[in-house]
Amino acid sequence: MFKFNANKIFSKDIGMDLGTASVIVYVDGKGIVLREPSVVAVDTNTDTIAKIGKDAQAMLGRNPDHINVIRPLKDGVISSYDVTQKMIQYYIRRACGNALRQPRVVICVPTGITEVETRAVIDAGTQAGARKTFIVEEPVAAALGAGVDITSPVGHMIVDIGGGTTDVAVISLGGVVVSESKKIAGDKFDEAIMRYVRRKHNITIGERTAEQIKIKIGAVYEHGEAKTMEVKGRCLVQGLPKVVTLSSKEMLEAMMEPISAILDTICSVIEKTPPDLVGDILKHGIIMTGGGSQLYGFDKLIEDVTGIKTRVAKDPVLCVALGTGKLLKVLDGMTGERIDLSKKIKRF
């Protein structure tokens, strides 16, 4: 006998951390169900999508001429609309399965995004199959995901370092009071490492190798004992393969430029923050989220520079996606497409 299963037929709402480096999807009632790279492989012969996510990322640097492997988001915003729309559609279908009803989708955006860029995200979500697309600023979602009660009249400072952008914001009463967004984050760290290895060791390495260096020995504060890693690349003089050993101490020099820019942004936001909220931040400290916050010693460096206690959130990479999950509970009755909790104070 046929059994009606409403959970399988009707879709759940979806929260999506649509990042430059990765896409993390949260489904209402299930939690995080997908975590994939924001990479798409396009077959230029047929103008079709060949692979999306991990399968596409595996092709980077190994793809034949007719396969173009791209990241459709750059610096936190859409750089290739059609490919982004197809990528979102793919992840919505994977998250919803065979559900007949289209889901409502919450997508995060950087604080510095323009109205044109905002509309592109909303349209891409809707064209990809969302019943309605809502957007929310990344620091708001990150704070919620980190367990902060952003609806209270207390100031909290969030430093969210993703793949394409770093968002620094002071949040109080459900809204962003002061913020700055810089297109300097994980990808710029990788580029800085590539430049350093080329300059200091005379070899060229790829993006994936640079990312592995960042993950394994990346540091912005001195270790008690330096870590090392063997790195393979192509010698710029002979054009042949070459192996060099890098240390975590070298990373302090390699990433100095992008790290300094982020520190300047944090100081700039503090300078523009109302005095009463600065007092709150001194009391409660700075919270770091995003993949870039996991660089060794970044929290200690910020604390040294600002004099403010700084900590990395639990599960920093997942904070934004977890925050969108909490926002799914306030969609009913929400007017407009931009979620503004300052107009609908609700304790989470």
Side-chain angles (χ1 to χ4, degrees):
M1 178 183 249
F2 173 77
K3 287 187 177 181
F4 177 77
N5 189 329
N7 289 331
K8 288 186 178 180
I9 298 298
F10 298 109
S11 66
K12 298 286 188 179
D13 293 329
I14 293 174
M16 186 176 292
D17 177 5
L18 186 65
T20 302
S22 63
V23 176
I24 305 175
V25 179
Y26 184 107
V27 175
D28 189 25
K30 293 182 179 180
I32 291 173
V33 297
L34 286 174
R35 182 178 170 184
E36 295 268 353
S38 302
V39 183
V40 178
V42 179
D43 188 329
T44 57
N45 286 343
T46 59
D47 196 26
T48 58
I49 302 296
K51 298 288 182 181
I52 296 176
K54 292 177 183 176
D55 292 337
Q57 187 183 50
M59 295 180 175
L60 278 170
R62 299 175 172 86
N63 50 299
D65 289 341
H66 71 284
I67 299 292
N68 188 18
V69 183
I70 63 172
R71 289 185 174 183
L73 292 111
K74 182 176 176 59
D75 298 331
V77 296
I78 293 174
S79 61
S80 177
Y81 179 85
D82 290 340
V83 176
T84 300
Q85 181 255 313
K86 290 175 182 177
M87 182 177 71
I88 294 173
Q89 183 181 57
Y90 171 76
Y91 288 130
I92 288 177
R93 286 177 177 173
R94 279 189 59 186
C96 293
N98 296 321
L100 297 179
R101 193 183 186 195
Q102 294 175 312
R104 294 179 296 183
V105 178
V106 175
I107 300 178
C108 296
V109 296
T111 54
I113 194 170
T114 67
E115 286 301 318
V116 172
E117 291 165 341
T118 297
R119 176 49 53 187
V121 173
I122 293 170
D123 289 347
T126 304
Q127 291 296 319
R131 184 164 87 250
K132 184 169 183 179
T133 303
F134 297 89
I135 60 167
V136 64
E137 292 169 312
E138 286 177 358
V140 172
L144 286 171
V148 176
D149 176 16
I150 67 169
T151 63
S152 68
V154 176
H156 296 279
M157 188 169 195
I158 302 295
V159 178
D160 181 52
I161 307 171
T165 60
T166 292
D167 281 281
V168 181
V170 176
I171 301 169
S172 180
L173 289 172
V176 174
V177 180
V178 183
S179 71
E180 281 192 32
S181 181
K182 293 290 183 182
K183 295 177 179 180
I184 300 172
D187 288 349
K188 296 298 183 186
F189 300 164
D190 297 343
E191 291 173 14
I193 291 171
M194 292 167 69
R195 287 196 302 270
Y196 175 86
V197 172
R198 184 185 183 95
R199 185 177 71 251
K200 288 288 185 179
H201 296 278
N202 230 22
I203 69 169
T204 180
I205 60 173
E207 292 179 14
R208 295 192 68 183
T209 300
E211 185 178 22
Q212 287 303 309
I213 294 170
K214 177 182 67 180
I215 292 169
K216 291 183 178 179
I217 63 170
V220 295
Y221 209 88
E222 281 203 29
H223 280 277
E225 185 176 341
K227 292 185 176 181
T228 60
M229 176 181 175
E230 280 195 348
V231 176
K232 299 173 183 177
R234 187 176 70 245
C235 178
L236 292 171
V237 177
Q238 299 174 322
L240 299 174
K242 183 178 178 181
V243 179
V244 298
T245 300
L246 299 179
S247 75
S248 55
K249 286 186 177 180
E250 290 183 274
M251 295 300 101
L252 303 178
E253 180 183 347
M255 292 188 285
M256 184 182 297
E257 185 178 338
I259 295 300
S260 295
I262 290 174
L263 292 172
D264 288 343
T265 302
I266 294 170
C267 292
S268 174
V269 170
I270 293 172
E271 288 174 2
K272 293 186 290 185
T273 301
D276 288 344
L277 294 183
V278 171
D280 292 338
I281 295 167
L282 282 168
K283 181 179 179 180
H284 298 286
I286 296 171
I287 301 171
M288 298 182 70
T289 62
S293 68
Q294 297 178 108
L295 271 176
Y296 177 82
F298 209 165
D299 53 341
K300 297 176 185 177
L301 182 60
I302 292 174
E303 194 166 313
D304 283 354
V305 171
T306 64
I308 301 172
K309 179 177 62 179
T310 303
R311 67 178 176 88
V312 179
K314 181 182 178 182
D315 298 326
V317 176
L318 303 180
C319 281
V320 171
L322 292 171
T324 63
K326 291 187 177 183
L327 289 168
L328 298 178
K329 303 181 187 304
V330 300
L331 295 185
D332 291 339
M334 183 69 69
T335 58
E337 294 161 319
R338 183 182 289 271
I339 295 177
D340 185 356
L341 295 180
S342 64
K343 297 178 181 178
K344 185 174 182 178
I345 297 299
K346 179 181 178 67
R347 187 178 181 87
F348 289 88

